[in-house]
Amino acid sequence: MTSELKAETKFPESLPEGQNPVSESDPTAKALGFHQDAKHTDFNLYPERKEKSAKNQVCKHCAQFSKLNENWGKCNIISAGVVSSRGWCSAWSQKS
């Protein structure tokens, strides 16, 4: 098992009961460059994520995110589980 895969399966925050985190290797998640932690974004593919203005671009501030608890929520686009409130993908859009 690679360290990347191990990191993906370890979540210090408690998951909502009966829920599983979206796998970063899920086809939709992968196509959108999704990571459960926005710090792991591929900056070569998404250089705009390095900009200071992108600092708050995380799932909890996205229009597609519905909060389940402080650390987890559901995404309207990546529906294969729950996403971390500190995650990011290229479909991110500011909540109004």
Side-chain angles (χ1 to χ4, degrees):
M1 185 179 271
T2 68
S3 61
E4 180 179 277
L5 186 56
K6 283 183 187 175
E8 183 177 341
T9 57
K10 286 184 182 177
F11 296 102
E13 307 90 9
S14 39
L15 287 161
E17 191 171 329
Q19 298 291 324
N20 292 309
V22 168
S23 170
E24 292 176 2
S25 60
D26 171 82
T28 303
K30 199 169 188 169
L32 294 171
F34 174 74
H35 286 282
Q36 292 286 4
D37 187 337
K39 293 177 185 172
H40 297 151
T41 300
D42 184 337
F43 296 114
N44 291 319
L45 290 175
Y46 305 102
E48 67 278 8
R49 285 287 301 136
K50 287 184 182 179
E51 303 295 323
K52 284 187 180 187
S53 61
K55 181 177 96 172
N56 289 321
Q57 287 187 9
V58 291
C59 291
K60 71 179 174 182
H61 299 300
C62 181
Q64 302 303 322
F65 183 80
S66 299
K67 179 179 173 179
L68 294 175
N69 68 23
E70 279 307 305
N71 300 303
W72 298 96
K74 296 293 275 177
C75 175
N76 291 333
I77 296 173
I78 305 173
S79 59
V82 293
V83 296
S84 169
S85 60
R86 65 178 195 251
W88 181 86
C89 82
S90 62
W92 186 90
S93 60
Q94 179 69 45
K95 278 186 183 179
S96 50

